[in-house]
Amino acid sequence: AVTLKSVASFPLGAALNPKLLNNALYGRIAEREFSSVTAENHLKMHHIHPEQNRYDWSGGDALMAFAQRNGQRLHGHTLLWHQAVPKWVREFQGDSTAWEQLIKEHIQTVVGHYKGRIAAWDVVNEAFEEDGSLRKTIWLEHLGPDYIARCFRYAREADPDVKLFYNDYGQESSPGKLTAMLDMVADFKRRGIPIDGIGLQMHTNIRHPDRQIENTLRQTVNTGLLVHISELDIRINPDKKPDLVPTDALWQQQKQKFASIVRMYKTVVPKEQQHGITIWNIGDGDSWIPNFCKCQDFPLPFDKQYAKKPAYDGILEGL
Ligand code: XIL
């Protein structure tokens, strides 16, 4: 039978929650349709490093075992994110040397644990504001403005071969953020800071103009780095209507948007720069979006019962 991964000419991934793998349908789709796996949450700091002297590998290791069993690649998400800060870090008291030691130890322990088994890491996630300034996070506060570069160095020291990514959202709608990210890459190259790829999260919606997405892809390609559409989902309810009833017309628009994003990726990104496209979970019932936007939405290629939606055919069409 035709599956997404059998048709794709580049890695096609899904973000997975290891707890949902108990659901046979979820597991079967993850295994049958995708060639790459991202941990939706279980490699984030608050999950994997819940206390200063304790790491919890259970979720990440379960996903690693699943991926290995199915011949899939595991993409690591993410070493440093201001929204995934454990309580012990929020309460941490120490000078800048102690903070530096804290992130170095975290990065090198986690990268070391998966060394040789994981394909890539999103080293730092969402460090820029929409206007391109550095986001005022706990990391910036305690580590200073050059912390991103040092995180990449620490990751590289722990694994010379793993691909290192900078990941962020909204580059296709915030020119200032896109420019800041590209400037950072140019600066890293000048200074010899290791970086291999850029993640464009692409949490988008049916109304977002293709040409902005294409322009973002082109500019990202120009860095010469790997390009990952890392968290794709496509909302059909951008106005957050409280009582939205999905219509056929909306499903068709969603299908077209999936098709055109996949097609643009395939045509704009040269083969040797294609890290792939990852969809942010599997069924509409698993999506983070309703929680996030406090609204109804259905942004994924499978419905709540894991039946294929028109969006699924859109991906196939684009591939
Ligand atoms: C989200 C997960 O999907 C949710 O389950 C969790 O509650 C919060 O994080 N950008 C990212 C992802 O880089 O890690 C986020 O994932 C979605 C936005």
Side-chain angles (χ1 to χ4, degrees):
V2 168
T3 62
L4 298 178
K5 76 172 170 192
S6 70
V7 175
S9 58
F10 47 78
L12 194 71
L16 297 184
N17 177 348
K19 295 208 172 120
L20 297 178
L21 288 171
N22 299 329
N23 179 321
L25 275 175
Y26 182 89
R28 236 177 291 137
I29 292 173
E31 166 187 344
R32 190 185 64 209
E33 301 286 346
F34 298 98
S35 53
S36 178
V37 170
T38 297
E40 183 180 17
N41 288 306
H42 284 75
L43 294 175
K44 291 172 182 170
M45 193 178 197
H46 62 312
H47 268 280
I48 210 169
H49 195 173
E51 293 168 51
Q52 183 158 15
N53 296 310
R54 186 167 69 87
Y55 286 83
D56 178 355
W57 308 109
S58 57
D61 287 2
L63 283 177
M64 176 62 83
F66 179 83
Q68 285 183 337
R69 207 162 53 238
N70 298 313
Q72 295 162 318
R73 170 184 85 177
L74 190 67
H75 178 95
H77 175 80
T78 168
L79 296 168
L80 216 73
W81 185 33
H82 65 283
Q83 303 243 38
V85 180
K87 184 158 174 284
W88 72 267
V89 174
R90 273 187 273 120
E91 293 169 352
F92 186 76
Q93 302 284 335
D95 59 11
S96 57
T97 314
W99 276 92
E100 192 71 21
Q101 196 49 41
L102 184 161
I103 56 145
K104 181 176 181 187
E105 195 260 357
H106 173 75
I107 291 172
Q108 299 200 328
T109 304
V110 177
V111 173
H113 181 81
Y114 291 106
K115 182 176 177 206
R117 301 186 287 158
I118 204 162
W121 276 105
D122 293 334
V123 178
V124 176
N125 194 36
E126 302 183 354
F128 292 106
E129 299 282 1
E130 313 316 287
D131 67 1
S133 61
L134 282 174
R135 194 183 285 278
K136 313 252 171 322
T137 66
I138 190 169
W139 311 121
L140 178 65
E141 180 188 344
H142 294 288
L143 302 167
D146 202 34
Y147 77 95
I148 307 175
R150 298 200 303 279
C151 290
F152 277 80
R153 281 223 166 100
Y154 297 146
R156 177 55 77 234
E157 278 171 24
D159 186 342
D161 298 317
V162 73
K163 301 291 184 204
L164 303 178
F165 280 73
Y166 176 77
N167 194 55
D168 213 325
Y169 70 91
Q171 296 95 335
E172 67 284 3
S173 9
S174 304
K177 185 187 274 192
L178 176 61
T179 304
M181 193 183 74
L182 300 174
D183 288 351
M184 178 190 76
V185 171
D187 174 61
F188 278 17
K189 285 189 177 168
R190 273 192 302 272
R191 295 161 62 200
I193 310 287
I195 181 166
D196 302 293
I198 298 282
L200 308 170
Q201 293 182 10
M202 209 63 75
H203 295 290
T204 188
N205 68 74
I206 52 173
R207 289 214 290 261
H208 200 93
D210 282 355
R211 64 190 152 69
Q212 283 182 0
I213 295 172
E214 185 177 333
N215 174 53
T216 302
L217 281 169
R218 285 195 192 285
Q219 296 204 52
T220 309
V221 161
N222 286 341
T223 62
L225 301 184
L226 295 168
V227 181
H228 186 202
I229 293 185
S230 56
E231 307 186 9
L232 180 62
D233 46 31
I234 303 179
R235 281 168 286 136
I236 62 169
N237 186 14
D239 299 326
K240 306 185 186 185
K241 292 200 187 97
D243 44 9
L244 176 94
V245 180
T247 58
D248 268 349
L250 287 170
W251 295 139
Q252 288 306 315
Q253 288 174 52
Q254 186 181 48
K255 172 184 177 179
Q256 289 319 318
K257 196 50 90 181
F258 267 107
S260 61
I261 290 177
V262 172
R263 203 176 296 122
M264 286 188 280
Y265 183 83
K266 194 177 156 184
T267 52
V268 170
V269 183
K271 190 102 209 76
E272 58 285 3
Q273 285 176 264
Q274 291 176 348
H275 188 68
I277 298 181
T278 296
I279 292 157
W280 208 241
N281 224 319
I282 292 194
D284 284 335
D286 314 318
S287 172
W288 74 300
I289 289 288
N291 232 331
F292 172 71
C293 70
K294 306 269 177 275
C295 67
Q296 271 212 78
D297 215 314
F298 310 85
L300 291 171
F302 294 85
D303 70 15
K304 286 198 165 84
Q305 282 77 43
Y306 297 113
K308 293 172 183 169
K309 293 164 57 187
Y312 176 94
D313 299 314
I315 298 174
L316 263 187
E317 212 176 279
L319 288 170

